[in-house]
Amino acid sequence: INILSPCVGVSGENCANNIADQFFNNAKIKQLLVKRKPILILDNEDLVWAKQFIIDNKLDKFITMEYNSFSLDRKVVGGIWSLEYYQELINKSKLPILWLAHDKAHKFNGGIDGRGISWRKSAALIKNSRLFIGCGSGLTMVAASSEVDKKIIEVNIGNTISMTGCKYSNSICLSKQTPETL
């Protein structure tokens, strides 16, 4: 049986410079006929919902942030920030930070709670924000998607999973950052 399995497991193929190239290689895709960019279609309902959320939370200029990627424990393993670092960034930011994650993710003190908001509604909020701070996970790809296309800062992740490394977006990758230096 010849099964096409583009997903790269923990001990899977390591044949490329980034995770996107690995997926394309494993799916036997030699060349794309379109620009490499995630696509997420927003409809008017998502945009109207986001505008109301912004009004309800008295947001003018704000930052959106993804803080939960692969671990519910959020213990520092490698480069991704600890929850304490994200909390410190929220405390130090001059602009309100809207933090986005699944509904059971850690809750911060301060900022705006965006846990449990759907991907498309999150996309509409990210589109309306001044900046997106990402950790190389799903919502960072949403921020890089065609209809959102937000300025992205990726903190303490490797180039192999960054939006720049995957050729999705010209994200700014900052390593060895603390909330103070960011």
Side-chain angles (χ1 to χ4, degrees):
I1 299 174
N2 189 9
I3 297 174
L4 183 65
S5 179
C7 190
V8 179
V10 174
S11 60
E13 298 178 45
N14 187 6
C15 60
N17 296 326
N18 61 66
I19 194 169
D21 286 340
Q22 286 180 338
F23 270 76
F24 292 132
N25 179 73
N26 291 349
K28 311 289 189 243
I29 297 171
K30 301 286 185 215
Q31 181 178 359
L32 293 175
L33 300 177
V34 296
K35 182 179 177 184
R36 186 187 290 186
K37 187 120 181 118
I39 297 171
L40 178 65
I41 306 299
L42 297 175
D43 64 23
N44 195 48
E45 182 182 316
D46 302 317
L47 297 169
V48 168
W49 180 91
K51 292 286 185 195
Q52 191 60 52
F53 183 95
I54 290 166
I55 290 167
D56 292 347
N57 287 280
K58 299 175 179 56
L59 297 172
D60 179 26
K61 298 175 184 175
F62 65 100
I63 297 169
T64 46
M65 176 181 80
E66 173 185 42
Y67 65 96
N68 193 298
S69 178
F70 60 89
S71 167
L72 295 178
D73 292 336
R74 299 303 295 142
K75 295 185 173 129
V76 179
V77 178
I80 298 179
W81 271 7
S82 67
L83 291 170
E84 292 78 19
Y85 267 19
Y86 285 108
Q87 181 65 65
E88 188 177 337
L89 179 66
I90 290 167
N91 295 345
K92 290 180 182 296
S93 178
K94 294 183 192 306
L95 292 178
I97 296 180
L98 168 59
W99 28 282
L100 301 165
H102 60 84
D103 60 349
K104 292 183 176 50
H106 176 81
K107 182 177 180 174
F108 293 110
N109 295 318
I112 309 297
D113 186 351
R115 294 173 303 153
I117 295 173
S118 74
W119 287 80
R120 287 178 25 170
K121 286 182 169 108
S122 292
L125 289 168
I126 294 166
K127 182 179 179 84
N128 283 284
S129 69
R130 297 290 178 155
L131 173 72
F132 180 82
I133 299 172
C135 61
S137 198
L139 286 171
T140 307
M141 286 188 73
V142 166
S145 68
S146 56
E147 282 201 35
V148 178
D149 206 16
K150 186 52 54 188
K151 184 178 283 189
I152 300 169
I153 293 178
E154 294 185 87
V155 183
N156 291 12
I157 63 163
N159 192 51
T160 59
I161 61 170
S162 74
M163 297 304 104
T164 296
C166 291
K167 302 179 188 113
Y168 295 146
S169 173
N170 289 327
S171 63
I172 300 166
C173 295
L174 301 174
S175 59
K176 298 184 180 169
Q177 297 297 308
T178 66
E180 187 69 34
T181 59
L182 182 62

